[in-house]
Amino acid sequence: MLPDSYPITPEDLEETVDRQQVRLEEGDVVLIRTGRMTVWDYPQRFLQDGPGINVRAAQWLVEGHGAMLVGADQATVEYQPATDVSGHYLPVHLYLLAE
């Protein structure tokens, strides 16, 4: 499981794609596995300070690789608390919904 509040970056995604020897294509569904489901039975742990993608990673997936849908094994898809866009509680959600 990734550490609490870990922001997954484009560099992390590139490393994962290379390590898993996969290729992202236009229209793909991308599912991010953080390992957070291992604490599903502990709501206070599962719902707070989750790891997840940051806005740059979302842009890398959508603009760079044409991802159609992004999901994750944690509550918000993005890391929490998200700090990469000031004043927005769920900046990855806002970006993905707009795009």
Side-chain angles (χ1 to χ4, degrees):
M1 180 172 68
L2 292 174
D4 285 357
S5 302
Y6 182 85
I8 298 170
T9 66
E11 295 78 18
D12 292 324
L13 296 176
E14 287 175 4
E15 181 181 319
T16 301
V17 165
D18 290 343
R19 186 176 55 244
Q20 293 184 358
Q21 299 179 348
V22 297
R23 196 174 82 219
L24 297 176
E25 297 181 358
E26 183 82 23
D28 276 354
V29 171
V30 177
L31 301 175
I32 306 292
R33 183 177 181 271
T34 67
R36 199 66 168 182
M37 289 299 294
T38 61
V39 293
W40 170 260
D41 290 335
Y42 308 95
Q44 290 300 324
R45 178 93 195 273
F46 179 76
L47 295 172
Q48 293 182 11
D49 301 327
I53 62 175
N54 66 15
V55 173
R56 286 189 320 111
Q59 291 168 332
W60 185 86
L61 289 168
V62 173
E63 297 171 25
H65 298 283
M68 177 64 71
L69 182 72
V70 178
D73 64 344
Q74 54 99 314
T76 62
V77 178
E78 62 226 284
Y79 73 105
Q80 288 291 306
T83 59
D84 49 342
V85 177
S86 178
H88 294 287
Y89 176 67
L90 298 173
V92 170
H93 270 76
L94 294 173
Y95 170 77
L96 291 174
L97 289 171
E99 292 301 316

